[in-house]
Amino acid sequence: MFVTSKYLGATNYCGGTSKQGNVAQMIATANVSETVERREYLRRIVAVTSMLGRQGLPFRGHDESEDSPNRGNFLACMELLKEFDPFLQKHNPPSNAQYISPTSQNDMIDCCAQEVTSVIVSEMTKSKARDEKAEQLAVCVRYVSEGAVKERFLALAEIKSFDAQSIANEIQQQIQNYGLAELKCVAQTYDGAAVMSGSTGGVQAHFRRLHPEAIYVHCYAHQLNLVLCNTCKAVPEAVELFSLLECVYSFFSTSLVNHHKFMETQAKLGLTKTELVQLSNTRWACQLRSVSAVLETLPAILECLSAIGSPIAVGLRAKLYKFSAVYALLMFQSILSVTEGLHKFLQKVTLDLAEAFICKQAVCDTLKGKHSDAFATELYEKTKALCNTHSIPEPGAKTRHKQRKMEDFVLEATVGSSTELNNSDTLKRELLFPCVDQMVGELDQRFCSVDAGLLKGIQACSPKSENFLSEPHLNELAKHYRLDLKKEEVLVARNFLTRKTEAGCPPKNMLSVYNLLDSDMFPSLKATIQVALMVPVSSCSCERSFSALRRLHSWLRQTMGQKRLHSLAVMSIEKDTVLEPEQGEPSWNKPFWWGVIYTFVVKVLRLNQVLYAFYIFSSVSHKQQILSKK
């Protein structure tokens, strides 16, 4: 063994001895108490770093000098910890080994992010397959590990160009960076943007050239939102209603005077204080919340508009004070309530494609039931009762209007042909039935991005499907992913699951079937079901990651670099992987903290690998465990 002078310098620092010798002799003569102190000190730095990262809080202050009143959250937490921690009160590290500088903070953040990512990569490597999802620069992965379906945030990448080829190349680069290139990619999921979903020049087309098995799934949650948006735009009366709701929201939200008067009117009428909801094409299910808010506060809106008396207020009240407007509000509240549960259901991480398709069909069947005279009559009577409560005249009733000059009033209708909604049949024919038919047609048309044969194969893995364990359909799915499905395994699995059902333990969903099947007895069938489980339903994990980024990359933190932003995003989004330290002497059953400390020492001090472990860990067994992991 050759020992250089640089190596000896590192040895002198760690062991506190000037004697030359082999590594074993240096370790034997090292100061154990100093090792324990270094370990305990770094444990506290890791704890503060992990806490701030999990909560998405900023680390630094504008001025971190000794006399600054606000030195930032990291230094403030260290000072607070020192007030109650006897160890920190006694510990006096040298000025060059305090590890609280901005550079050391960045290194520790990066080490925590690396440890989180290593856990995700380790789980994915054991599962042997994955699916890819990208939304702009966020890359998330879906896999099956330890009998559970998981979706994890993998990386936040910065790309120079936003064309499809550049985005696909960046996704592939992230896969290679984390050592996942050898795993089979099952599927890819994006929203409906043309650059992502294009069948010939989109990201999904470029990505499939690299991974031919990776089928494209148009995010079901985005598709459902498009169904509602298109329904609201396709029927003229619906367009007019939601335009009116947006005007009412703007009237009461842009003026503090009008908003205060609106709140006071609700209190005076004994209503629960409710805020109006702004409409948006990207906020899922906001249409229902907007309609419900207007219906709940309708008495306060009408009275408040009458009291204000401005030209805009008079015009808005005239449009709301109509039987047809109330009818449309109640109608949309009813049909949008049918899809509300599906909105939430499609955002579940554990949801599989077969179950999502079944729930979508159930929603379609429910909506078709509303295309009936019975429901139209029920809706008309409900509207009539509500209008009588607020003295809104029924269509066809004759009312006297005093002739008045039209100055200072807004125009209620424009020139052009339009159907007058003045009776039950007209409301049913021109408003209710067109909206229901449009919504059902959109649901049938949009939720079909996956090949029909593959969809049948995925459904054959679900016990809720009519073709459960159908051999032809399973073979088509297995053939696409180059799996050698054994016919005998399918036959035995049918009998096995039948006996489980008779014993009172029937499989409830696809995941329970996967967990019931033994990997030694049903290797090919279980691999086929695993593939079906990993086909994603939505890209909601990417959407959630960008919600976290809005908290992390605020206007007060605009100077943050891409690497630091990525590391903080990993810690904040995957906070369940950043484990809490134990009280007293930590347990080796939770290696996350020691992995972070080890990586930090390797990254910062750049010592010889054998001495890294000794620098932090005094016990020989501890050192052996860490070295075996690294």
Side-chain angles (χ1 to χ4, degrees):
M1 177 182 292
F2 293 93
V3 182
T4 66
S5 59
K6 182 178 180 180
Y7 179 80
L8 285 175
T11 305
N12 291 339
Y13 174 73
C14 291
T17 177
S18 60
K19 296 181 179 179
Q20 296 185 3
N22 57 33
V23 174
Q25 291 173 339
M26 298 174 191
I27 292 178
T29 57
N31 190 326
V32 177
S33 63
E34 290 183 5
T35 303
V36 174
E37 286 187 5
R38 298 186 191 108
R39 179 176 63 188
E40 292 301 314
Y41 180 63
L42 283 177
R43 275 189 59 220
R44 285 153 176 80
I45 293 180
V46 174
V48 172
T49 304
S50 300
M51 184 276 292
L52 294 176
R54 286 196 311 272
Q55 300 303 119
L57 298 175
F59 279 63
R60 300 176 192 165
H62 179 69
D63 181 8
E64 296 187 351
S65 60
E66 292 289 342
D67 55 349
S68 174
N70 184 6
R71 303 180 65 194
N73 289 334
F74 179 81
L75 294 179
C77 287
M78 291 298 295
E79 291 295 331
L80 180 63
L81 194 60
K82 187 175 182 179
E83 291 185 18
F84 301 96
D85 187 354
F87 171 79
L88 285 180
Q89 292 171 3
K90 297 177 181 178
H91 185 63
N92 187 24
S95 60
N96 63 342
Q98 293 183 351
Y99 309 126
I100 58 176
S101 66
T103 302
S104 296
Q105 292 178 37
N106 285 343
D107 290 334
M108 186 62 76
I109 291 170
D110 188 39
C111 293
C112 289
Q114 287 182 30
E115 195 64 25
V116 172
T117 306
S118 68
V119 172
I120 297 172
V121 171
S122 176
E123 291 179 346
M124 290 181 61
T125 304
K126 293 176 183 178
S127 71
K128 300 189 183 300
R130 69 177 185 283
D131 91 275
E132 279 302 322
K133 298 190 290 181
E135 177 73 13
Q136 297 296 329
L137 307 177
V139 180
C140 297
V141 290
R142 178 183 173 102
Y143 56 94
V144 179
S145 176
E146 298 178 353
V149 178
K150 299 181 180 180
E151 288 188 4
R152 299 287 197 179
F153 175 79
L154 184 66
L156 183 68
E158 183 178 8
I159 53 178
K160 304 295 183 181
S161 178
F162 292 93
D163 60 281
Q165 183 67 64
S166 299
I167 297 175
N169 291 342
E170 186 60 40
I171 296 174
Q172 180 64 19
Q173 184 62 48
Q174 293 300 323
I175 294 173
Q176 294 176 351
N177 289 346
Y178 293 102
L180 304 175
E182 300 301 321
L183 299 183
K184 181 182 294 184
C185 188
V186 172
Q188 48 181 328
T189 305
Y190 317 111
D191 61 14
V195 69
M196 308 300 291
S197 61
S199 58
T200 56
V203 172
Q204 63 113 344
H206 290 290
F207 194 76
R208 287 198 71 173
R209 295 187 184 101
L210 301 173
H211 304 274
E213 300 92 353
I215 63 175
Y216 167 64
V217 179
H218 186 167
C219 171
Y220 271 32
H222 278 92
Q223 290 196 76
L224 182 57
N225 187 58
L226 290 174
V227 168
L228 301 184
C229 291
N230 290 348
T231 300
C232 296
K233 293 177 181 177
V235 181
E237 289 76 10
V239 174
E240 183 178 354
L241 173 69
F242 285 100
S243 176
L244 174 60
L245 296 184
E246 186 64 26
C247 291
V248 172
Y249 170 82
S250 300
F251 181 80
F252 286 109
S253 63
T254 56
S255 170
L256 287 176
V257 175
N258 293 343
H259 183 265
H260 288 320
K261 191 179 292 292
F262 178 53
M263 293 290 113
E264 291 172 359
T265 305
Q266 290 187 58
K268 184 178 71 174
L269 295 176
L271 302 175
T272 303
K273 286 190 176 182
T274 304
E275 293 285 355
L276 299 180
V277 178
Q278 184 179 17
L279 293 173
S280 172
N281 290 332
T282 57
R283 292 178 183 173
W284 300 333
C286 67
Q287 291 94 342
L288 175 61
R289 292 189 289 113
S290 179
V291 169
S292 299
V294 170
L295 283 173
E296 291 173 10
T297 60
L298 185 60
I301 293 175
L302 294 176
E303 183 172 329
C304 196
L305 291 174
S306 297
I308 293 174
S310 65
I312 296 179
V314 172
L316 291 176
R317 188 182 185 280
K319 286 185 173 292
L320 274 177
Y321 199 74
K322 284 184 177 179
F323 189 92
S324 59
V326 179
Y327 183 93
L329 287 170
L330 291 173
M331 179 201 71
F332 274 107
Q333 185 184 45
S334 177
I335 62 177
L336 292 178
S337 296
V338 176
T339 63
E340 182 186 18
L342 185 59
H343 268 294
K344 299 176 181 178
F345 188 68
L346 291 177
Q347 299 178 44
K348 285 188 173 182
V349 172
T350 57
L351 181 63
D352 58 77
L353 200 62
E355 192 166 3
F357 194 81
I358 292 173
C359 292
K360 189 270 295 184
Q361 287 298 115
V363 169
C364 282
D365 295 340
T366 305
L367 289 173
K368 290 176 182 177
K370 293 186 179 296
H371 191 289
S372 64
D373 292 337
F375 176 74
T377 302
E378 177 187 349
L379 180 61
Y380 188 86
E381 292 300 324
K382 187 176 180 180
T383 306
K384 187 177 178 180
L386 183 59
C387 288
N388 290 337
T389 303
H390 303 300
S391 303
I392 299 176
E394 187 179 352
K398 295 182 179 181
T399 56
R400 292 186 61 185
H401 296 282
K402 184 178 180 180
Q403 187 174 1
R404 304 177 62 179
K405 294 181 179 180
M406 294 305 297
E407 58 186 27
D408 295 332
F409 286 84
V410 295
L411 186 65
E412 185 178 339
T414 57
V415 176
S417 60
S418 61
T419 305
E420 187 177 357
L421 306 177
N422 55 6
N423 57 60
S424 175
D425 290 336
T426 307
L427 288 167
K428 175 180 65 175
R429 187 177 61 254
E430 300 295 334
L431 185 56
L432 174 60
F433 287 176
C435 286
V436 172
D437 293 340
Q438 179 70 26
M439 188 173 291
V440 172
E442 290 276 344
L443 284 170
D444 288 333
Q445 178 184 357
R446 290 189 174 275
F447 287 79
C448 57
S449 60
V450 180
D451 179 76
L454 292 178
L455 181 60
K456 286 288 186 182
I458 294 173
Q459 290 175 328
C461 299
S462 173
K464 298 180 180 180
S465 176
E466 296 177 354
N467 61 332
F468 178 47
L469 292 183
S470 169
E471 187 182 345
H473 295 142
L474 287 174
N475 279 328
E476 186 165 357
L477 178 65
K479 182 180 178 181
H480 177 80
Y481 291 105
R482 302 176 186 178
L483 298 173
D484 186 16
L485 180 63
K486 304 296 183 183
K487 176 181 178 180
E488 293 75 15
E489 290 185 24
V490 179
L491 296 176
V492 175
R494 288 178 189 166
N495 295 324
F496 172 74
L497 294 175
T498 300
R499 289 184 174 274
K500 282 287 185 180
T501 303
E502 293 173 352
C505 302
K508 298 180 180 179
N509 50 36
M510 192 185 300
L511 183 61
S512 63
V513 174
Y514 175 83
N515 289 327
L516 282 173
L517 298 179
D518 184 77
S519 56
D520 294 327
M521 187 173 181
F522 307 99
S524 64
L525 178 58
K526 190 162 185 175
T528 304
I529 296 177
Q530 181 183 10
V531 165
L533 280 169
M534 286 188 293
V535 176
V537 175
S538 71
S539 59
C540 293
S541 295
C542 282
E543 298 289 345
R544 295 188 188 100
S545 68
F546 274 96
S547 297
L549 289 181
R550 281 193 290 269
R551 297 191 300 269
L552 293 172
H553 202 241
S554 63
W555 66 276
L556 291 173
R557 307 170 76 180
Q558 291 296 317
T559 59
M560 186 188 306
Q562 178 66 26
K563 185 176 181 180
R564 180 184 173 92
L565 179 61
H566 160 76
S567 299
L568 289 174
V570 170
M571 293 173 63
S572 177
I573 296 168
E574 299 298 334
K575 61 181 65 178
D576 58 326
T577 309
V578 184
L579 302 174
E580 291 284 353
E582 295 189 355
Q583 297 291 333
E585 185 67 21
S587 169
W588 283 94
N589 294 327
K590 293 183 177 180
F592 174 82
W593 300 96
W594 305 117
V596 173
I597 294 174
Y598 182 91
T599 306
F600 178 75
V601 174
V602 172
K603 185 181 183 66
V604 177
L605 300 182
R606 296 178 178 85
L607 302 177
N608 179 275
Q609 184 176 9
V610 178
L611 295 182
Y612 291 151
F614 181 74
Y615 180 80
I616 300 301
F617 307 102
S618 58
S619 169
V620 176
S621 61
H622 289 178
K623 287 181 287 187
Q624 291 174 347
Q625 293 185 44
I626 286 296
L627 289 175
S628 65
K629 292 179 181 295
K630 299 298 180 180

